[in-house]
Amino acid sequence: MNTETADRLKALQILSDLFGGSPNQSSPSVINDQACSTTLQSVQGASLAPQLQGRSNHTKLDCGVKESTTGDINENEVPVHELSIAIEGLQKPVRLLEAVSSEEATQLCHSLGEEDPFGAKAWPAAYLVARRLLHMNVRGCTVLELGCGTGLASVAAAMGGARFVLATDRSSTSVRRAVASAALNGHQIYGEVFDVMLSQPLPSRGFPFCGNRRTQMYKPCCADKLPDSFDVVVFSDVLYWNKEAVAFGRRAAEAYVAG
């Protein structure tokens, strides 16, 4: 087991110890996984009881992840491998693509004039949020993920029956991988670049625009499918720096006001 895998397992164990208890059956509109809390209602964290999975030549991870190497998504992407993540509430594991090397992913983003792609890897908190979404029952709901990274929560929501899912991140490579992961599972999600640090409102039917510092504002191809407001707005592993934390808090409040 390499150091990165060990660190992720340790983080998952910490979260598992922290979020003991049974899930609340209420359906909040905004979820932040780092505290597993919502600006609308207090949601008690679900206890984790993941089963060890794996087979020969695969790395065993406590969160039910089996690693296998695949090729690039395309010639402009860094090498990726596929994870198989078992989440309670889904009949099949989620097939998820993540970058093999965080360093290569960072170099690519910098070459594109974008900021560090911290979501190039799947992290334990995203697993908890994906599981929470399924406990909430998002069937028929619209879901917006901010700072989607690998898109685990978005893909899980689509597999859980959400009728419209928009995965956003300030990194275009992260967005493309999230959309590709959904396709691997036989589902469609929409993916667009969106930087929560900018001043523009959250994408909606009334303001159908996305963008980051490189692209500026643009009208996405799914503009005509955007709801007036999303039923669920979710983000994970994004509150490590003060400026970003404030920005995501502002977005949570914005979603709350939008209804």
Side-chain angles (χ1 to χ4, degrees):
M1 181 184 296
N2 59 33
T3 301
E4 182 175 330
T5 298
D7 288 343
R8 292 160 72 186
L9 287 176
K10 182 178 180 181
L12 181 59
Q13 184 59 55
I14 292 171
L15 291 168
S16 176
D17 293 340
L18 180 64
F19 300 139
S22 59
N24 190 309
Q25 294 301 315
S26 58
S27 297
S29 296
V30 183
I31 302 175
N32 160 29
D33 67 300
Q34 279 186 285
C36 260
S37 64
T38 169
T39 60
L40 298 183
Q41 300 177 19
S42 174
V43 180
Q44 296 177 355
S47 62
L48 293 176
Q51 300 296 318
L52 285 173
Q53 293 191 16
R55 55 176 182 260
S56 59
N57 300 322
H58 291 270
T59 302
K60 291 184 178 180
L61 303 179
D62 280 345
C63 56
V65 178
K66 297 177 288 184
E67 298 188 63
S68 59
T69 303
T70 66
D72 296 351
I73 295 176
N74 61 53
E75 61 182 4
N76 296 318
E77 297 286 353
V78 297
V80 300
H81 55 191
E82 180 183 327
L83 307 180
S84 179
I85 306 176
I87 304 178
E88 181 183 344
L90 293 178
Q91 294 183 348
K92 297 180 179 180
V94 177
R95 299 175 65 187
L96 192 76
L97 299 175
E98 71 168 11
V100 173
S101 166
S102 296
E103 290 75 16
E104 289 186 23
T106 299
Q107 290 174 6
L108 175 61
C109 276
H110 287 174
S111 72
L112 295 174
E114 296 181 346
E115 307 199 38
D116 290 340
F118 298 109
K121 293 286 189 177
W123 298 103
Y127 168 81
L128 288 176
V129 166
R131 179 171 168 169
R132 174 55 53 77
L133 285 173
L134 296 171
H135 276 298
M136 285 172 51
N137 186 10
V138 293
R139 184 171 298 279
C141 294
T142 57
V143 177
L144 170 63
E145 184 175 13
L146 303 173
C148 69
T150 60
L152 176 57
S154 289
V155 176
M159 294 176 69
R163 65 181 173 86
F164 178 82
V165 179
L166 176 59
T168 68
D169 197 284
R170 65 185 182 184
S171 166
S172 60
T173 56
S174 292
V175 168
R176 287 195 295 272
R177 272 194 295 272
V179 172
S181 290
L184 279 177
N185 292 277
H187 290 271
Q188 180 184 34
I189 65 172
Y190 292 89
E192 301 292 342
V193 292
F194 183 81
D195 189 344
V196 299
M197 300 287 287
L198 300 181
S199 60
Q200 67 194 65
L202 292 173
S204 66
R205 183 172 300 171
F207 192 87
F209 296 98
C210 293
N212 62 11
R213 297 182 189 279
R214 180 175 65 89
T215 67
Q216 301 303 310
M217 277 199 307
Y218 69 91
K219 194 169 186 177
C221 63
C222 63
D224 61 338
K225 298 178 176 63
L226 291 171
D228 293 325
S229 62
F230 283 87
D231 298 316
V232 179
V233 177
V234 62
F235 46 86
S236 62
D237 278 314
V238 293
L239 306 184
Y240 298 109
W241 294 273
N242 288 338
K243 289 183 179 180
E244 281 79 1
V246 170
F248 277 96
R250 177 170 60 87
R251 295 302 185 176
E254 180 184 349
Y256 175 82
V257 171

